[in-house]
Amino acid sequence: MSDIMLEVKNLKKYFPVRGSKGRFVHAVDDISFTIEKGKTLGLVGESGCGKSSCARSVIRIYDPDSGTIALDGIDITKMSQKELLPYRKKVQMIFQDPYSSLNARMTVRDIIAEPLVAHNICKTKEEKNELVFEMLYAVGLSTEHANRYAHEFSGGQRQRIGIARALILKPGLIICDEPISALDVSIQAQIVNMLTEFQRQLGLSYLFIAHDLSMVRYVSDDVGVMYLGRIVELCESEEIYKNPLHPYTVGLLASIPVPDPILRKSQEESSMKGDLPSPIDLPSGCRFHTRCPHVIDICKEVEPSLVEVSPGHQVSCHLYHKY
Ligand code: SF4
């Protein structure tokens, strides 16, 4: 049996621009990565860089335009929704906003049991309740919470309910779509600790999406940095913090606030200019050239490919290519 839980190859997902024929949002543009069983890939980039579209394509909420997605060795790229049903159990999602991702009209019991009902898992109501109660305890809530509604809970508790719903089918892969960015800093650590503990106990794989490199630091085995639909740097987590190569990664690291004034000065020097360009009208050559502090002539004309510059460390930047 393979150690690979998810293998994504050359995935593309474009969205047509409404009322503008022939123009597309290049949300996910030829990206490849793998996630081993029991491991976490952190996918990081600013809002609008395509990381959520990537996650939704992986889980087949969106149908990819091209490329392949293999889940636990099975190619699910072209499966119909009916064929996908058994594989849906293996992948679940935790959403960013614990306020809007839970149905306000359903009790916590029904929210957590939803996947069991969708997959027709339990034969009796008792069986269903038992599994729901088990999950409530596992995420630090109790049976008394089962008949309450989502609005009666704090943000952290709601995210625990979302985690219980994601775990109840015992999936192998969980897509965590910015699961902590809407929470208070004090609660973020609790949720991250809970997710890592579940990973340790159950051997889960995570695709952990965040807009900030500080958020994935303690959960990821590998980190991929996305910019305008492409992965621009991919390597082991420790390596990306110790030895970031792509100027965009350096800029993202520089945007993490630090109290030390000397460090802050060096951060300012490496910071990025301007805003993310439109994913519809992409810059020519390197997509990052309009903001890069190290831009050279070739960058404006030739798009660099993602190449391995040292074992396990891939980067797409002309500064590191040997011509
Ligand atoms: Fe900057 Fe050029 Fe590297 Fe792009 S290819 S990141 S513009 S140096």
Side-chain angles (χ1 to χ4, degrees):
M1 227 162 69
S2 157
D3 285 341
I4 305 294
M5 186 65 212
L6 178 70
E7 183 167 27
V8 171
K9 276 192 197 158
N10 307 109
L11 187 71
K12 278 193 189 181
K13 181 67 195 169
Y14 294 178
F15 296 98
V17 178
R18 208 176 290 165
S20 189
K21 215 172 161 213
R23 298 179 78 216
F24 294 91
V25 175
H26 302 79
V28 181
D29 204 1
D30 196 9
I31 72 171
S32 305
F33 59 84
T34 55
I35 306 179
E36 286 180 29
K37 288 180 181 162
K39 302 283 184 188
T40 301
L41 172 71
L43 201 55
V44 179
E46 292 160 284
S47 298
C49 73
K51 51 197 193 307
S52 290
S53 297
C54 170
R56 283 170 165 73
S57 303
V58 163
I59 207 169
R60 290 283 317 273
I61 293 174
Y62 299 151
D63 284 331
D65 294 327
S66 63
T68 57
I69 303 156
L71 185 66
D72 207 1
I74 310 287
D75 187 345
I76 62 160
T77 326
K78 296 213 163 67
M79 284 184 179
S80 66
Q81 292 302 322
K82 198 174 160 198
E83 288 168 327
L84 267 176
L85 214 55
Y87 300 98
R88 286 222 180 276
K89 277 192 259 179
K90 291 190 180 201
V91 194
Q92 294 293 308
M93 195 147 176
I94 300 170
F95 295 91
Q96 175 179 9
D97 187 353
Y99 294 89
S100 63
S101 63
L102 304 179
N103 189 328
R105 296 204 191 129
M106 288 167 80
T107 62
V108 166
R109 178 202 313 266
D110 290 341
I111 290 171
I112 297 175
E114 228 181 350
L116 297 174
V117 176
H119 290 273
N120 208 6
I121 304 280
C122 298
K123 296 208 168 37
T124 63
K125 200 172 147 192
E126 290 68 33
E127 216 181 310
K128 189 171 80 178
N129 279 340
E130 201 177 313
L131 289 173
V132 170
F133 293 158
E134 230 175 73
M135 282 320 308
L136 277 170
Y137 278 122
V139 297
L141 297 171
S142 76
T143 51
E144 286 157 29
H145 294 118
N147 291 328
R148 298 201 201 155
Y149 292 86
H151 68 86
E152 297 175 58
F153 294 88
S154 66
Q157 286 174 318
R158 288 185 212 199
Q159 201 53 297
R160 286 168 192 261
I161 297 166
I163 293 170
R165 176 177 59 185
L167 284 176
I168 201 158
L169 291 179
K170 303 195 170 25
L173 172 68
I174 299 198
I175 314 275
C176 307
D177 190 3
E178 304 217 28
I180 55 170
S181 24
L183 303 175
D184 289 347
V185 178
S186 56
I187 308 293
Q188 287 181 353
Q190 290 176 15
I191 297 296
V192 164
N193 289 343
M194 177 178 288
L195 289 170
T196 43
E197 184 53 26
F198 280 129
Q199 180 169 53
R200 198 186 59 75
Q201 287 172 12
L202 307 170
L204 297 166
S205 304
Y206 293 135
L207 175 58
F208 198 103
I209 292 170
H211 57 259
D212 176 337
L213 273 162
S214 67
M215 285 190 186
V216 298
R217 181 163 198 159
Y218 301 104
V219 288
S220 305
D221 296 284
D222 298 301
V223 173
V225 176
M226 272 189 88
Y227 189 77
L228 285 177
R230 294 241 203 240
I231 289 183
V232 295
E233 187 160 7
L234 181 63
C235 61
E236 279 184 6
S237 177
E238 216 174 297
E239 170 79 356
I240 212 141
Y241 297 97
K242 266 204 240 151
N243 183 28
L245 296 180
H246 197 282
Y248 180 58
T249 311
V250 175
L252 279 183
L253 283 167
S255 64
I256 300 171
V258 289
D260 182 333
I262 298 168
L263 271 179
R264 208 162 46 226
K265 177 134 193 336
S266 84
Q267 280 190 332
E268 280 159 14
E269 280 159 9
S270 52
S271 68
M272 296 175 280
K273 310 173 272 185
D275 297 323
L276 193 71
S278 160
I280 302 168
D281 302 309
L282 293 169
S284 60
C286 171
R287 294 175 188 200
F288 188 57
H289 87 253
T290 54
R291 302 172 75 191
C292 181
H294 307 290
V295 58
I296 46 177
D297 285 348
I298 188 177
C299 306
K300 296 177 187 165
E301 283 159 26
V302 181
E303 183 158 23
S305 44
L306 188 68
V307 294
E308 193 170 58
V309 291
S310 61
H313 194 154
Q314 300 176 56
V315 65
S316 112
C317 172
H318 290 300
L319 298 179
Y320 302 98
H321 287 197
K322 295 184 185 96
Y323 294 103

